[in-house]
Amino acid sequence: MRLAGKVVVVTGAGSGLGQALALELLRRGARVAAVDLRAEGLQETRAKAGSLGEGLSLHPLDITDKEKVAALPEEVERAHGQVDGLINNAGIIQPFKRLLDLDEAAMERVMRVNFWGTLHMTRAFLPRLLKRPEAHLVNVSSMGAFVPVPGQALYGASKAAVMLLTEALWAELQGTPVRVTLVLPGAMRTGIAEHSGVEAPRAEGAKVPVLEPEVAAKRLLDAVERDAFRVLLGRDAQTMDLLHRLSPALAARIVQRRMAHLLVYSLL
């Protein structure tokens, strides 16, 4: 699907990858409905859009609120007249703790935002996408969906659920106007820890290549325009995907050894 002239909804558009996606979509001639929990983040996105801001509408919204999500498609259509695409990008991480050390509230919050938020948004917009001549659904999962990261068990589980949901939707929507893309990013400079209310670990251990969100946004949207089924963002995601295919146990062991300091930090 060529993005010029299309209307795309982006969640988590007030910072990080979501903000970079909103700005890159505007540059490519699309109109954007920017969704984020934080109104101040959306205002920052508008300021960065500059003269391209005419094609941008702001929608402060908690994607875990099912009723408000259900009302969003009509709100977007009032602003833009149509909806051609949805990028479910919003997500949070968990505190860097072992599973047994997590409290119920933290576990439920991660699942509500990462999985249920994605599901609610998809179910709200999919009926409208199916009525378009062509449309696209993008779900941002994570490298953590297929290789476990120390201290992020619930986060990984939530993103694995998003991954399988997206793959199932790809199969279900064959023969319809809706194309589906699964996105699996590795390490990225997004500020996700801060926006998740989680204290980030100190920079210890082996260095991990970090992808800039602006680069990731361009690669992701290039993948959408060629109707890619699956896109890995970052050298780390690409490398671990290959290793995981060869030996899941080896891939898990390598990540555990290189990132064990995440759990050590959480126990200090």
Side-chain angles (χ1 to χ4, degrees):
M1 184 178 80
R2 305 304 297 178
L3 292 165
K6 298 297 193 294
V7 176
V8 182
V9 179
V10 181
T11 66
S15 64
L17 178 59
Q19 184 178 82
L21 284 167
L23 297 175
E24 182 62 21
L25 281 162
L26 291 170
R27 293 186 196 103
R28 295 187 185 208
R31 297 179 64 84
V32 177
V35 179
D36 200 282
L37 179 63
R38 302 178 309 112
E40 62 273 21
L42 291 175
Q43 291 297 335
E44 180 184 317
T45 302
R46 168 167 280 169
K48 289 186 175 182
S51 61
L52 296 174
E54 281 187 16
L56 180 68
S57 63
L58 307 184
H59 306 269
L61 179 75
D62 182 351
I63 61 169
T64 69
D65 188 324
K66 188 177 179 181
E67 287 69 30
K68 290 183 179 178
V69 167
L72 184 59
E74 186 175 342
E75 183 180 325
V76 172
E77 286 184 338
R78 284 199 303 269
H80 298 282
Q82 65 193 56
V83 183
D84 303 293
L86 168 64
I87 303 180
N88 284 310
N89 162 76
I92 60 172
I93 60 173
Q94 67 174 72
F96 288 90
K97 295 180 179 180
R98 289 182 169 83
L99 181 66
L100 291 179
D101 296 328
L102 283 173
D103 59 48
E104 290 286 335
M107 290 190 290
E108 290 178 3
R109 181 169 176 254
V110 169
M111 293 303 296
R112 281 201 315 270
V113 174
N114 293 355
F115 178 68
W116 287 105
T118 296
L119 184 60
H120 293 331
M121 288 289 295
T122 299
R123 284 175 58 87
F125 279 93
L126 190 53
R128 283 169 166 81
L129 297 181
L130 285 165
K131 293 177 181 178
R132 301 298 298 160
E134 59 176 356
H136 213 108
L137 170 65
V138 180
N139 286 339
V140 178
S141 177
S142 170
M143 180 182 79
F146 58 86
V147 287
V149 176
Q152 291 294 315
L154 252 292
Y155 170 78
S158 69
K159 289 299 189 175
V162 169
M163 180 174 68
L164 191 54
L165 172 68
T166 309
E167 292 170 341
L169 285 168
W170 180 91
E172 286 185 10
L173 293 169
Q174 292 300 300
T176 77
V178 182
R179 297 293 176 263
V180 178
T181 296
L182 169 65
V183 182
L184 299 159
M188 198 182 311
R189 205 180 310 280
T190 62
I192 190 172
E194 176 188 350
H195 297 306
S196 302
V198 173
E199 189 174 359
R202 293 191 294 265
E204 298 176 16
K207 290 184 178 180
V208 176
V210 178
L211 192 63
E212 296 298 332
E214 294 78 14
V215 175
K218 290 177 181 178
R219 292 179 184 174
L220 190 160
L221 296 178
D222 286 346
V224 168
E225 292 200 315
R226 65 175 184 268
D227 290 336
F229 165 58
R230 187 173 184 264
V231 56
L232 293 149
L233 295 178
R235 282 187 299 150
D236 52 346
Q238 294 165 359
T239 300
M240 295 313 301
D241 178 61
L242 178 60
L243 281 173
H244 183 262
R245 291 169 186 266
L246 294 172
S247 172
L250 176 60
R253 189 174 297 114
I254 289 172
V255 172
Q256 191 278 328
R257 287 175 177 171
R258 293 188 65 181
M259 305 183 76
H261 66 281
L262 298 179
L263 268 178
V264 171
Y265 171 84
S266 73
L267 295 176
L268 292 179

